Amino acid sequence: MRDAWIYSSTRDASADLARSLAELGFSPRQAGRNGTLVPSGDDGATVRMPALAVVVAGAGEPAPNELWAELRGLDELADVPIVLALEPEHLMTVADLAAAHELLVAPFSQAELRARIARARRESSQVEDGQLLRAGSLELDLQTYQVTIDGKVVGFAYMEYELLKFLLMHPGRVFSREALLRRVWGYDYYGGARTVDVHIRRIRAKLGQEHAARIKTVRSVGYLFETGPVRHA
């Protein structure tokens, strides 16, 4: 189930929204309380990055300007679609509304919530379930979790698939090993940065010579994925 992080000053403001998100297939997590912008699991480890973040302010509450400014600068949410769910009274007082991927103004229906979330995910470059990611003859089916090359299915372990998907969703962007651990594994994995190198090596072996060359090693930094014509070294 996809996580949705909810930022609000009171539980009353987020209770109805949490129920609506759960009905849409999300697992709501309360965030932003006591200065904690990134929630932790029961063991204290950072949880997997969410599919959605929602900032909500209820009637009679002050505009969440300070929280909104902090979230815009939070590296962990750089690629997460963010929705502002506000009352009409907040529209003139919330700074930089345009920075949100979508805006919901109360009262709103379940159908509008669903549509706004879908638009927010497209706006933030996240793809919707059921779509394909392609790079040449390499395809990832996000509904069946299958990887095919030239139409032939290639078997990938779950975390190999997740790492390949993440890189393919962010073509041309360099990620450090530490960033990949946070963004793909979702916590500081006990195996350390070497875990990423091992998975990259396995992925390259399964992709074959042509597509393996798309995953570039940036010395002393990390990895990036090229979707254009492959340039062999």
Side-chain angles (χ1 to χ4, degrees), residues 44-117:
T46 301
V47 299
R48 183 184 299 276
M49 289 301 103
L52 177 72
V54 183
V55 180
V56 56
E61 294 183 1
N65 282 312
E66 183 176 344
L67 171 62
W68 180 220
E70 289 185 79
L71 291 182
R72 294 201 304 273
L74 193 63
D75 180 65
E76 284 84 349
L77 296 183
D79 296 312
V80 175
I82 301 179
V83 175
L84 287 179
L86 307 173
E87 297 287 330
E89 65 197 68
H90 298 123
L91 295 181
M92 297 301 294
T93 54
V94 171
D96 204 6
L97 286 173
H101 293 105
E102 273 295 332
L103 174 65
L104 278 164
V105 180
F108 49 84
S109 66
Q110 185 81 342
E112 183 180 0
L113 176 62
R114 181 191 298 272
R116 296 286 185 180
I117 289 173

Side-chain angles (χ1 to χ4, degrees), residues 138-158:
L138 170 66
E139 290 188 353
L140 272 69
D141 189 314
L142 303 186
Q143 187 172 28
T144 65
Y145 295 93
Q146 281 190 335
V147 179
T148 59
I149 299 175
D150 294 322
K152 297 179 181 179
V153 176
V154 181
F156 280 80
Y158 177 73

Side-chain angles (χ1 to χ4, degrees), residues 187-201:
Y187 52 89
D188 293 330
Y189 186 69
Y190 290 116
R194 178 170 167 75
T195 298
V196 177
D197 297 332
V198 171
H199 279 73
I200 289 290
R201 185 164 62 248

Side-chain angles (χ1 to χ4, degrees), residues 29 36 38-47 186-188 190:
R29 285 181 178 270
T36 304
V38 179
S40 299
D42 294 336
D43 59 356
T46 301
V47 299
Y187 52 89
D188 293 330
Y190 290 116

